[in-house]
Amino acid sequence: MTKFEIRGLRADVLIGAEERQEILKGVDLTINSGETHAIMGPNGSGKSTLAYAIAGHPKYEITDGEVLLDGENVLEMGVDERARAGLFLAMQYPVEVPGVSMSNFLRSAVTAVRGEAPKLRAFSKELQEAMKGLSIDPSFAARGVNEGFSGGEKKRHEILQLELLKPKVAILDETDSGLDVDALKVVSEGINRARATGEIGVMLITHYTRILNYVKPDFVHVFAHGQVAESGGPELAEVLEAEGYERFVKAGA
Amino acid sequence: MASPNIEIKEHSHGGELPVSKLDVHGSFDVADFPVPNGREEEWRFTPLRRLRGLHQHTEATDGKITVETDAPAEVTVETVGRDDARLGTSFLPTDRVSALAYASFTEATVVTVPKETQASAPVSIKVTGTGQGESYGHILVRAERHSAATVVLEYAGSAVHADNVEFVVEDGAQLTVVSLQDWERDAVQVSHHYTKVGRDARFRSFVVTLGGDLVRLSPKVGYTAPGGDAELYGLYFTGAGQHHEHRSLIDHNVSNTRSRVEYKGALSGEEAHAVWIGDVIIGEGTEGTDSYEHNRNLVLTDGTRVDSVPNLEIFTGEVEGAGHASASGRLDDIHLFYLQSRGIPADEARKLVIRGFFAELINRIEVPELRERIMTEVEEKLALHE
Ligand SMILES: Nc1ncnc2c1ncn2[C@@H]1O[C@H](COP(=O)(O)OP(=O)(O)OP(=O)(O)O)[C@@H](O)[C@H]1O
Ligand SMILES: [Mg+2]
């Protein structure tokens, strides 16, 4: 049983050497293992900032608040330590790392997170199966990390990493965007396989209810102006789908 | 960082001194080249005092160099004297050290890949220095028409060494050259690679410079007929106090020729100095030239210096494509963030990214054993700097 708590989190985006702008204005959210929380909100409201700030992205600086994973202060950890502690972020725009092969990268990541190098044979089998489950062609293993991948291919590989690294908390930032219907299904199945253990808490950031038909949320939160503006059950997603975010966009403006 | 020089000219006029003068002014007579004082365009980046007199030829030629070769049976390898008529027919020395080297060597190595022969294994030429006196060498590699071969040149040990290497790629031939400068830390080397690319021939060069105190290597390519293709790749890892200088010249002197130049380096430590000069000439009256050159430098620590200068001189309006790029910078912290966000520790993430930076280039080498060999050399050097 894992408890992931975000308390009063404030963060700035670092724009230039001098310039910064506050984006997160006091975020409170608690996610327990076995729960899936959908975060929905208008463009520019700070959803990705929340995800990146928690992961420790160098462009964002946390100015106040806490992030606790089973009581441990995540913000005092380095980026890699956070991941080894059980935090995972599937990025809205996964990064291309030229020249580093996907297989080499995945093996390094799995070794780091599991604390020991997996047996080569066993790992290559595990990787092949995980790739197959996400309809990823085996040839991708030899390519550079995300190098020249299409948007949809990048998203599949984020979920591949989710399945291999088995985190305690997964933040999925618009994993559904840029996916066609078939790809959405495949990716959702991957997320559901990870959820099936009941030992993972999921924060699912999305604009659309489309993915929520496959990955059923337990809670839905509306994110606006750098805060959680409203929380409810799955029915809130339906309301948002019908009404849009207008009410929230205006509210804080 | 120095700024690029791009000149687009419809015609060359007298009075100016374009890059191309270098080739025009070639000579076998040492006296035709005054002793450089360091202010000349072609010497201004080189710390002359660290050449150990190689540009003056004041000391006796008392250095000792051994040359070991290994080649598959179908390739001929000979050691010949200065008077061998095949030597020096494909080039004219373009600077004083090159002319001195040609005037001073005693034995040359001649590699011949017979026509229509595909070498079954790479040809290896290993030059090892065993002392600090001046030494001079000469190597000629001739790939006869429609032959194909890979030649690996390796420099190791301690030396103050200058040489000229001629690569003659005859019509339809394919020659790949790997030149590995893996000297001891105190070595000094000035080398010229003179390449002539024949009709529809293909030349690929991988220059890998890791060792030495000072290495200055100038690969020059000209074409003897249309359809030639030259790709020059370079990789250097320049550590504290090392000077690594690469000066490529591609002379698109005939129509419908192609060239690619891509040099990548990493610098680490105080006074690590890397120089890349990329000259490309697209000659008057030619058409259909396709050329691109690129230099990238990864600056790993403070205290390093990079000089990166592409020079593009175009004497015709009929160019298929001509471009250049040059960039120097730190490791991308977003790359590091991504790897670390998957649990990979910071130092390992750095290594992965640096390895990846070089792997892009090394992966172009078609012989797997060579790829691994060079990756291992780079890893060793990398380990020294972590
Ligand atoms: N590097 C930056 N420079 C300037 N502003 C930035 C930078 N990064 C983010 N911002 C701003 O921070 C705000 C929040 O951006 P963020 O990406 O977190 O929004 P989002 O809710 O994820 O939006 P979307 O739904 O479009 O993905 C936006 O107004 C954005 O313009
Ligand atoms: Mg976003």
Side-chain angles (χ1 to χ4, degrees), chain A residues 56-57 79-80 83-84 88-89 91 95-96 98-100 105 108-109 112-113 145-147 158 161, chain B residues 296 333-346 348 352-353 355-357 359-360 363:
Chain A
H57 192 290
V79 173
D80 49 320
R84 293 199 297 274
F88 179 84
L89 166 61
M91 298 185 198
V95 179
E96 300 195 9
V100 180
F105 160 65
S108 301
V113 167
V145 172
N146 293 321
E147 212 180 340
E158 293 292 282
Q161 293 166 51
Chain B
R296 276 195 62 196
D333 59 0
I334 304 305
H335 290 166
L336 298 177
F337 167 71
Y338 189 73
L339 299 184
Q340 286 178 256
S341 78
R342 271 44 177 158
I344 300 172
E348 198 185 333
L352 279 172
V353 174
R355 202 182 293 159
F357 174 76
E360 281 188 298
N363 286 341

Side-chain angles (χ1 to χ4, degrees), chain A residues 102-117:
Chain A
M102 205 71 202
S103 59
N104 195 2
F105 160 65
L106 292 173
R107 192 146 42 84
S108 301
V110 164
T111 301
V113 167
R114 293 184 194 166
E116 61 175 352

Side-chain angles (χ1 to χ4, degrees), chain A residues 47-48 92 173-174:
Chain A
K47 304 181 298 294
S48 292
Q92 184 173 2
D173 190 3
E174 300 208 19

Side-chain angles (χ1 to χ4, degrees), chain A:
Chain A
M1 174 73 192
T2 296
K3 194 182 201 67
F4 183 63
E5 298 161 274
I6 304 167
R7 292 187 188 158
L9 195 70
R10 288 180 172 268
D12 293 355
V13 56
L14 307 176
I15 297 164
E18 300 287 304
E19 210 181 337
R20 52 164 68 215
Q21 192 190 336
E22 180 167 80
I23 305 294
L24 301 185
K25 297 174 174 153
V27 180
D28 294 290
L29 190 66
T30 299
I31 298 177
N32 295 304
S33 49
E35 297 175 358
T36 296
H37 294 243
I39 308 272
M40 306 182 75
N43 291 126
S45 58
K47 304 181 298 294
S48 292
T49 301
L50 175 64
Y52 280 134
I54 292 169
H57 192 290
K59 275 230 173 72
Y60 303 88
E61 190 179 299
I62 288 166
T63 54
D64 200 14
E66 291 182 312
V67 179
L68 305 174
L69 182 60
D70 290 328
E72 295 256 12
N73 189 348
V74 165
L75 302 179
E76 277 172 7
M77 302 177 192
V79 173
D80 49 320
E81 289 176 276
R82 296 179 198 196
R84 293 199 297 274
L87 209 61
F88 179 84
L89 166 61
M91 298 185 198
Q92 184 173 2
Y93 302 109
V95 179
E96 300 195 9
V97 191
V100 180
S101 77
M102 205 71 202
S103 59
N104 195 2
F105 160 65
L106 292 173
R107 192 146 42 84
S108 301
V110 164
T111 301
V113 167
R114 293 184 194 166
E116 61 175 352
K119 293 255 178 335
L120 213 57
R121 270 261 194 78
F123 177 68
S124 109
K125 193 159 169 248
E126 182 185 358
L127 179 58
Q128 273 173 23
E129 272 167 21
M131 288 174 81
K132 201 168 155 210
L134 290 161
S135 304
I136 298 171
D137 190 89
S139 65
F140 277 90
R143 287 176 62 178
V145 172
N146 293 321
E147 212 180 340
F149 291 14
S150 73
E153 287 162 356
K154 285 179 181 165
K155 296 300 174 71
R156 283 171 205 240
H157 280 86
E158 293 292 282
I159 299 310
L160 175 66
Q161 293 166 51
L162 168 73
E163 289 199 69
L164 291 173
L165 298 179
K166 303 183 174 37
K168 293 178 181 159
V169 177
I171 303 173
L172 310 178
D173 190 3
E174 300 208 19
T175 298
D176 54 333
S177 70
L179 297 181
D180 61 33
V181 183
D182 293 335
L184 182 66
K185 254 187 163 153
V186 167
V187 162
S188 300
E189 282 164 15
I191 298 169
N192 287 334
R193 279 194 294 274
R195 290 204 309 168
T197 58
E199 284 164 16
I200 185 174
V202 176
M203 183 196 290
L204 183 71
I205 299 171
T206 182
H207 277 279
Y208 308 103
T209 49
R210 189 171 82 122
I211 191 171
L212 304 182
N213 296 327
Y214 300 102
V215 183
K216 298 263 187 259
D218 305 293
F219 303 92
V220 174
H221 308 275
V222 182
F223 204 81
H225 305 290
Q227 286 177 319
V228 176
E230 194 173 320
S231 298
E235 72 291 343
L236 180 55
E238 305 303 327
V239 177
L240 292 169
E241 178 87 346
E243 295 177 4
Y245 300 115
E246 218 158 296
R247 179 157 64 92
F248 300 98
V249 176
K250 281 199 195 111

Side-chain angles (χ1 to χ4, degrees), chain B residues 168-187:
Chain B
V168 180
V169 195
E170 293 186 357
D171 294 354
Q174 304 206 359
L175 180 65
T176 298
V177 171
V178 176
S179 183
L180 177 59
Q181 289 64 244
D182 197 18
W183 297 105
E184 293 297 320
R185 184 60 184 75
D186 60 352

Side-chain angles (χ1 to χ4, degrees), chain B residues 106-152:
Chain B
T106 50
E107 280 184 340
T109 304
V110 177
V111 174
T112 309
V113 189
K115 65 174 189 211
E116 287 154 27
T117 300
Q118 175 123 27
S120 58
V123 178
S124 152
I125 304 173
K126 183 165 181 182
V127 177
T128 308
T130 53
Q132 275 290 308
E134 286 171 28
S135 65
Y136 297 96
H138 193 88
I139 296 168
L140 165 63
V141 176
R142 179 177 293 273
E144 293 185 350
R145 62 183 165 81
H146 299 293
S147 68
T150 296
V151 173
V152 182

Side-chain angles (χ1 to χ4, degrees), chain B residues 44-110:
Chain B
R44 67 186 177 102
F45 294 113
T46 313
L48 293 178
R49 55 178 180 79
R50 281 163 64 190
L51 281 177
R52 307 274 198 90
L54 210 45
H55 59 307
Q56 290 162 320
H57 195 35
T58 46
E59 288 172 39
T61 307
D62 56 1
K64 204 161 156 29
I65 280 286
T66 59
V67 180
E68 294 160 87
T69 59
D70 184 23
E74 63 277 15
V75 175
T76 311
V77 181
E78 301 158 78
T79 302
V80 303
R82 298 187 46 79
D83 51 353
D84 192 290
R86 293 169 295 178
L87 305 180
T89 58
S90 77
F91 79 107
L92 279 176
T94 54
D95 69 25
R96 185 175 168 88
V97 178
S98 180
L100 262 173
Y102 197 76
S104 311
F105 76 88
T106 50
E107 280 184 340
T109 304
V110 177

